[in-house]
Amino acid sequence: MSASDNVVWLGSPAFPAAAKEAVADTRLRANLRKATGTIRGKRLAASRELDDWEELRTTAAAIKEATLRHLDAHLLRLEESVTAAGGTVHWAADAAEANRIVTELVQATGETEVIKVKSMATQEIGLNEALAGAGISAYETDLAELIVQLGADRPSHILVPAIHKGRAEIREVFRDAMGEWGRPAPDDLTDEPRDLAEAARLHLREKFLHTKVAVSGANFAAADTGTVAVVESEGNGRMCLTLPETLITVMGIEKVLPAFTDLEVFLQLLPRSSTGERMNPYTSMWTGTSEGDGPQDFHLVLLDNGRTATLRDTVGRQALGCIRCSACLNVCPVYERTGGHAYGSVYPGPIGAVLTPQLVGVEQAASLPYASTLCGACYDACPVKIDIPEVLVHLRAQVVDAKRRGPVPTPEALLMKAAAATLSSPRRLGLAQRAGALGARILARRGVLRRLPGPLRRWSETRDTPAPPGETFRTWWRRERSPE
């Protein structure tokens, strides 16, 4: 199993086709506009409260850059610290190895159920599906992830996976599916947020009290102490991290920080950038195991899955500095209109457009670097100053180079060669201009060419193409300015 088997949902259409369908969904667009607008406003208000907000961003970017430059040393130190604190560290080169490790660890406990803290890394590797294949049921406990799981849906946002769902839709999901997974929803369930949250709380409480194995992701891990941190808003993560007997954490290798004191910076930036809060309601930290307190068996799975390859790219590797706050999604005009499913990736939005192609290879996700207007709003919002527009342009060049290396020239390459040949010769340019003027009189409708023929049709289907003038500049000049 390769990284692309999970990071990119196989069978998904490319972004242009998926986006076209999403934009036509008026309910989706209304849900996205309301949700992203609310979060965006809260983030701006919360960040303005800090006089040193820009200094914090600069410091965070510097820490991430320095960490990535010496990532191997920090990871080895993290392994030593976690092991000394009573935990066990496992190294996973790809999704298949990570899934095998987690599956075997669960099987060793004799359990057939696990509860999960919201985790992008486990979604990336397709852990739930891998566990199901081994006869192990994985229950999502984050409210939004629960909605997605019960509805047999896919997440569409990093922070709010069910952002594409309205309250009425969520009520129907709960009423239809909760009973199949555990405690059913109340018969008189309404679509009021309070009632929906209470139904989820009652449903999950049984899982928290009886399940002995938990799986989590990690927001950060301090190399010097071996401390792992998870931040969340509902308390479900705290339940998963304290009640079970065994805790298995799957963490991308880029989440390591050199020192525990570095958390001071990121725990100010993350909540303000993600939910617009001064601090997360629940910030859970643990260091190995403690006798009589919390899980007595802790395993940390360090996941590569394309990250080492990404490190080799001195421009693209800045994407590994992402702290998964989703601020870039909430300000992106493209995401606000298409939602996350159109990206065909576990990581949607601007950060997904630069991260996914690097994890799986640009050939596997060639349309994603073009899923942007390059307006730069994502760069302005990013708390760790990832220059997403720069990386998008960089990856677009890689996509073009990959196509150029193919055995058959692309229509675009042939068109550029023809344009070069035409523009390099005054005679050929004149002939092309006269041909264009003639074509304009035949094809133009209301001042634009609505649809170009042949391989150029894809270009004209998404934009208005100005019609060539009926008379070229050279013809006009000869008529108006040439001596009699």
Side-chain angles (χ1 to χ4, degrees), residues 287-309:
T287 305
T289 58
S290 300
E291 186 175 354
D293 182 17
Q296 297 301 291
D297 194 12
F298 170 56
H299 297 269
L300 177 62
V301 181
L302 296 175
L303 176 68
D304 187 327
N305 207 38
R307 288 159 174 79
T308 299

Side-chain angles (χ1 to χ4, degrees), residues 38-155:
T38 299
I39 299 172
R40 188 163 58 238
K42 291 177 64 178
R43 184 193 68 83
L44 283 173
S47 62
R48 286 170 178 166
E49 292 179 348
L50 297 181
D51 294 334
D52 61 345
W53 179 252
E54 288 304 316
E55 288 78 3
L56 283 170
R57 291 181 67 210
T58 301
T59 301
I63 292 172
K64 281 292 188 177
E65 181 181 1
T67 303
L68 292 175
R69 203 177 292 133
H70 304 286
L71 186 59
D72 54 345
H74 296 305
L75 288 172
L76 290 174
R77 190 180 185 192
L78 175 64
E79 180 182 32
E80 294 175 358
S81 300
V82 170
T83 303
T88 304
V89 175
H90 309 263
W91 298 80
D94 54 24
E97 188 171 10
N99 287 331
R100 177 185 59 77
I101 291 170
V102 176
T103 300
E104 290 177 355
L105 289 173
V106 177
Q107 290 173 333
T109 67
E111 299 295 319
T112 58
E113 294 183 349
V114 301
I115 50 177
K116 289 186 64 199
V117 185
K118 181 181 181 301
S119 164
M120 299 297 292
T122 58
Q123 290 174 10
E124 175 186 327
I125 63 177
L127 179 62
N128 288 11
E129 294 78 8
L131 291 175
I136 300 169
S137 299
Y139 296 97
E140 298 289 350
T141 64
D142 175 83
L143 177 56
E145 289 286 0
L146 175 66
I147 294 167
V148 169
Q149 185 177 52
L150 293 178
D153 201 351
R154 298 187 305 202

Side-chain angles (χ1 to χ4, degrees), residues 247-268:
L247 173 61
I248 305 168
T249 297
V250 181
M251 186 188 89
I253 56 176
E254 79 281 13
K255 296 296 186 69
V256 66
L257 296 175
F260 184 85
T261 53
D262 293 328
L263 291 171
E264 176 189 359
V265 174
F266 293 97
L267 291 181
Q268 293 185 76

Side-chain angles (χ1 to χ4, degrees), residues 27 65 152 171 191 197 209 233 262 266 396 442 456 471:
R27 175 186 285 184
E65 181 181 1
R171 179 192 60 192
D191 64 358
L209 294 176
S233 299
D262 293 328
F266 293 97
R396 289 180 185 186
I442 298 173
L456 300 178
E471 182 181 39

Side-chain angles (χ1 to χ4, degrees), residues 468-483:
E471 182 181 39
T472 68
F473 173 78
R474 292 183 179 194
T475 302
W476 176 87
W477 182 269
R478 282 196 295 269
R479 187 184 71 250
E480 297 293 335
R481 302 295 183 182
S482 295

